[in-house]
């Protein structure tokens, strides 16, 4: 009963938002060689979806996406990029409209106000998930990370969103650097290679990777080595922030 009251209050509040425009965020999380995606479970169900939200009348799209992401992760300064607009007439890929409403426990007249046809602007982000505090939104009671290869059937067209977001992220590695917010201030070349391999889902040649990364001029090798380990301690590196940000803006070619 209380949930339905909250839904009605939300419908009354829809007048404050742009009609039929929504935002969905594919938030990838990286940590220690693992790649995950952040999902929400709707209240009183076992059904999952991506985090998202609406756009206020006086709000830019990017600002709305940052606002939504900050509420779900607690992070404010992370890389977030728009990657696609989803506007199919039928956006219920795994479950029909009626099945979706039944799963969400919503009567048809109420549910259609909430899940009527929207054009959704897709964003993706990449964060270090060890520093994230997943937080549910208005309609959900659980927010947690899922392994990228264990994602369940999701509501709406959100499986398609994740697939396209991952393709876009992998393509990004060819023209923009990653890692500034995902690695410690000081890291080894194997640490950086592990990050790239985890995202790409494939093994890279060590020598070619190191040669390529050093050639871009965004790394500084320090006069210190990583302590511990059975093998010869590798040198530590750090990003040159100024050159890193210039590489982001110039979209220099990273993978040939």
């Amino acid at each position: 009963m209380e949930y339905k009251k909250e839904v009605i209050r939300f419908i009354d509040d829809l007048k404050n938002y742009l009609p039929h425009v929504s935002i969905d965020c594919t938030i990838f999380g990286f940590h220690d060689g693992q790649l995950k995606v952040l999902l929400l479970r709707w209240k009183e169900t076992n059904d999952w979806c991506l985090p998202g939200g609406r756009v206020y009348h006086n709000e830019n799209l990017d600002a709305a996406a940052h606002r939504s992401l900050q509420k779900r992760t607690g992070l404010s300064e992370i890389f977030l990029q728009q990657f696609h607009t989803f506007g199919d007439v039928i956006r219920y890929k795994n479950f029909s409209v009626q099945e979706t409403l039944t799963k969400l426990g919503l009567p048809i007249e109420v549910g259609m106000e909430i899940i009527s046809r929207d054009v959704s602007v897709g964003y993706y982000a990449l964060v270090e998930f060890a520093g994230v505090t997943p937080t549910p939104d208005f309609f959900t009671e659980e927010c947690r990370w899922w392994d990228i290869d264990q994602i369940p059937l999701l509501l709406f067209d959100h499986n398609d969103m994740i697939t396209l977001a991952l393709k876009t992220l992998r393509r990004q590695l060819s023209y923009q650097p990653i890692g500034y917010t995902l690695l410690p201030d000081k890291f080894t070349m194997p640490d950086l290679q592990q990050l790239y391999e985890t995202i790409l889902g494939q093994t890279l040649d060590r020598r070619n990777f190191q040669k390529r990364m050093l050639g871009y001029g965004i790394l500084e090798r320090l006069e210190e080595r990583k302590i511990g380990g059975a093998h010869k301690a590798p040198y530590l590196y750090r990003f040159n922030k100024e050159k890193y940000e210039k590489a982001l803006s110039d979209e220099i070619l990273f993978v040939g």
Side-chain angles (χ1 to χ4, degrees):
M1 181 63 68
E2 185 60 33
Y3 171 57
K4 291 184 178 180
K5 289 181 180 179
E6 291 177 356
V7 170
I8 293 173
R9 283 196 292 268
F10 175 80
I11 293 174
D12 291 337
D13 194 45
L14 285 177
K15 62 182 180 293
N16 297 317
Y17 300 96
L18 291 178
H20 306 298
V21 177
S22 61
I23 285 174
D24 288 293
C25 297
T26 302
I27 305 172
F28 294 110
F30 171 82
H31 178 73
D32 195 24
Q34 301 176 73
L35 187 64
K36 298 176 181 287
V37 67
L38 195 64
L39 298 178
L40 293 165
R41 181 172 60 81
W42 281 64
K43 290 179 179 177
E44 301 178 3
T45 78
N46 290 316
D47 295 293
W48 298 80
C49 66
L50 288 170
R54 299 277 175 168
V55 183
Y56 287 111
H57 286 287
N58 62 346
E59 187 178 38
N60 293 334
L61 279 173
D62 286 359
H66 277 284
R67 172 174 55 81
S68 177
L69 188 142
Q70 184 174 18
K71 288 182 178 180
R72 302 288 74 78
T73 67
L75 303 178
S76 57
E77 296 184 6
I78 64 173
F79 179 83
L80 180 66
Q81 183 166 305
Q82 185 179 140
F83 72 97
H84 192 73
T85 299
F86 296 85
D88 286 356
V89 174
I90 304 299
R91 293 187 54 213
Y92 300 89
K93 302 297 182 177
N94 297 318
F95 312 102
S96 68
V97 175
Q98 186 59 56
E99 287 174 323
T100 301
L101 292 177
T102 299
K103 285 176 172 294
L104 303 183
L106 297 174
I108 187 72
E109 65 276 7
V110 174
M112 291 309 297
E113 287 285 343
I114 297 173
I115 62 173
S116 59
R117 184 191 175 190
D118 279 345
V119 171
S120 180
V121 181
Y123 284 79
Y124 73 89
L126 184 60
V127 304
E128 214 292 352
F129 67 72
V132 171
T133 302
T135 305
D137 65 10
F138 177 86
F139 291 106
T140 58
E141 59 186 357
E142 185 179 2
C143 181
R144 69 176 173 89
W145 295 105
W146 284 74
D147 289 336
I148 198 69
D149 57 354
Q150 296 180 5
I151 298 170
L153 288 179
L154 302 179
L155 296 168
F156 316 116
D157 53 355
H158 289 188
N159 288 95
D160 292 347
M161 289 185 179
I162 294 173
T163 298
L164 185 55
L166 183 57
K167 288 182 179 179
T168 306
L169 173 61
R170 288 171 171 168
R171 194 180 307 123
Q172 179 199 337
L173 296 187
S174 69
Y175 62 87
Q176 285 184 326
I178 61 169
Y180 186 77
T181 59
L182 303 173
L183 296 171
D185 180 55
K186 300 176 183 180
F187 54 87
T188 66
M189 191 63 68
D191 292 334
L192 183 60
Q193 182 169 338
Q194 183 189 51
L195 170 61
Y196 273 67
E197 289 180 338
T198 300
I199 294 172
L200 291 171
Q202 64 183 60
T203 300
L204 302 174
D205 180 81
R206 180 181 62 82
R207 291 183 178 179
N208 288 342
F209 178 81
Q210 178 169 319
K211 182 179 179 180
R212 183 179 294 123
M213 295 306 301
L214 292 178
Y216 301 133
I218 61 173
L219 298 177
E220 297 176 352
R221 195 180 83 169
L222 306 177
E223 293 304 317
E224 55 183 302
R225 296 175 181 268
K226 184 176 181 179
I227 299 174
H231 304 286
K232 182 179 178 181
Y235 278 104
L236 292 171
Y237 292 82
R238 68 183 172 197
F239 286 107
N240 181 305
K241 185 177 181 181
E242 182 178 344
K243 293 181 179 179
Y244 181 94
E245 291 178 348
K246 187 177 188 303
L248 277 178
S249 62
D250 290 351
E251 295 190 350
I252 63 175
L253 192 63
F254 266 60
V255 178

